[in-house]
Amino acid sequence: MHARTARLATERSNVETLLEAAAREDHVRLVRSVDVPLTTNHDVGLPNNVDACVFDLDGVLTTSDEMHFAAWADTLDAFLARRSERASVHFSHYARLSRRADYDENLAGRPRIDGIRAFLSSRGITLAEGRPDDPPDAETIYGLANAKSVALTQRLDQEGVTAFASAARYLDTAANAGIACVVVSASANTATILARAGLSELVDIGVDGRVMQELGLSPKPAPDMVLAACERLDIEPSRTAAFETTPAGVGAARSAGCSVVVGIDRAGDTEALHAAGADKVASDLGALLRVSAERADHAWR
């Protein structure tokens, strides 16, 4: 009976995943049966004092992190190649965009303009600031920012972006438990990415790159974005749980005073996430689902 129950639970989980994928593809939202009991905080692996969840978009909910890196590589590798050609220097002199040294250190989690300034500074390159309406081929800071936006839009159109398998299920379960769900991202394309990934209706509010610029918010590890999300929800940080993929994100949530900080480790950075202050590190949101009340209480004591 135990083995049979386990097999049935696995089958049900697989069927739910397939149904959710089909629903996202057809741009419809699944409606739970009225006889399904309400879930609780324990069902999403959180203690009872949590009233809201703050999710980093890129890497926690969607695959957009890889798409941002690819769009930056399209933009900045082409820029470096043009400079090397004009200077009659082999392109290898200008190292191609590095995921860890360039993207993670200077570009990820920052608005485009700030990211470009940081990247150029790290390479010892000086460019004119330009104007916000500079064309994508202009070799100015704003021109490169607009080129990256074009590159990202092209990749979204050609390749699309997907939510991680358990993201919709986690958001839906949290909402059924009465937990508010907020997305934070430095990307100005956050709303588009959520819509393409089929998550828009599962998110209450978002704090994105446009909000960052409007309010003058500092990027992570500053706590600004998390605090702005809490303020918009009118919920104290001490009653929120934050989900982040980087040590900087974990540090930001910790500095904001979040009750629970969960690191989502997709790159083998478990030790770094714990060192930054994560209460718990999981491989995916799905690993937190269907936690029994006894296990949840023990995990957060």
Side-chain angles (χ1 to χ4, degrees):
M1 288 298 295
H2 177 75
R4 182 184 180 192
T5 300
R7 286 198 303 271
L8 288 173
T10 300
E11 286 184 17
R12 181 172 61 184
S13 178
N14 290 340
V15 169
E16 286 180 355
T17 299
L18 290 171
L19 286 172
E20 287 163 357
R24 288 196 299 272
E25 185 176 339
D26 292 336
H27 304 292
V28 298
R29 182 179 180 183
L30 295 177
V31 178
R32 297 289 188 260
S33 172
V34 293
D35 62 353
V36 174
L38 289 174
T39 57
T40 68
N41 286 34
H42 295 305
D43 293 305
V44 288
L46 296 174
N48 288 329
N49 68 324
V50 170
D51 294 328
C53 290
V54 179
F55 300 91
D56 183 39
L57 173 66
D58 310 311
V60 173
L61 297 179
T62 72
T63 59
S64 50
D65 190 51
E66 293 297 327
M67 189 159 291
H68 279 296
F69 171 69
W72 277 120
D74 292 342
T75 302
L76 296 176
D77 282 348
F79 164 71
L80 294 173
R82 291 194 299 271
R83 285 180 67 89
S84 65
E85 184 178 356
R86 287 197 301 269
S88 299
V89 176
H90 194 272
F91 181 44
S92 61
H93 177 71
Y94 292 97
R96 292 179 181 275
L97 194 74
S98 162
R99 173 62 193 248
R100 188 169 293 275
D102 292 319
Y103 180 73
D104 291 347
E105 291 294 324
N106 300 304
L107 300 166
R110 299 174 185 257
R112 286 194 302 266
I113 292 296
D114 293 341
I116 289 170
R117 291 190 185 112
F119 169 77
L120 294 176
S121 177
S122 72
R123 295 294 185 99
I125 299 173
T126 302
L127 282 185
E129 189 80 1
R131 298 172 57 85
D133 59 352
D134 278 355
D137 58 354
E139 289 201 356
T140 63
I141 290 176
Y142 275 102
L144 288 177
N146 293 334
K148 191 268 178 174
S149 181
V150 170
L152 180 64
T153 299
Q154 290 174 343
R155 284 188 170 270
L156 285 171
D157 291 340
Q158 294 168 6
E159 303 169 24
V161 63
T162 59
F164 288 107
S166 59
R169 189 157 68 251
Y170 193 93
L171 290 169
D172 198 41
T173 306
N176 198 32
I179 299 173
C181 295
V182 188
V183 166
V184 295
S185 171
S187 173
N189 294 282
T190 295
T192 299
I193 291 170
L194 284 171
R196 298 286 183 92
L199 299 179
S200 294
E201 293 185 1
L202 300 176
V203 173
D204 294 298
I205 63 170
V207 177
D208 62 8
R210 291 187 174 89
V211 175
M212 287 185 74
Q213 288 190 328
E214 289 172 6
L215 301 181
L217 305 179
S218 297
K220 301 167 187 176
D224 295 21
M225 295 186 74
V226 178
L227 292 174
C230 293
E231 184 176 350
R232 291 192 164 203
L233 285 174
D234 195 24
I235 290 177
E236 291 295 322
S238 60
R239 301 194 66 82
T240 65
F243 300 78
E244 295 284 349
T245 60
T246 65
V250 169
R254 196 87 279 166
S255 297
C258 292
S259 174
V260 175
V261 182
V262 179
I264 300 298
D265 181 19
R266 303 192 190 278
D269 291 332
T270 296
E271 291 185 8
L273 292 169
H274 273 304
D279 296 299
K280 185 173 184 177
V281 176
S283 60
D284 185 76
L285 289 174
L288 304 172
L289 284 169
R290 295 194 179 94
V291 178
S292 69
E294 181 179 348
R295 286 176 57 199
D297 279 340
H298 178 74
W300 300 110
R301 278 176 187 157

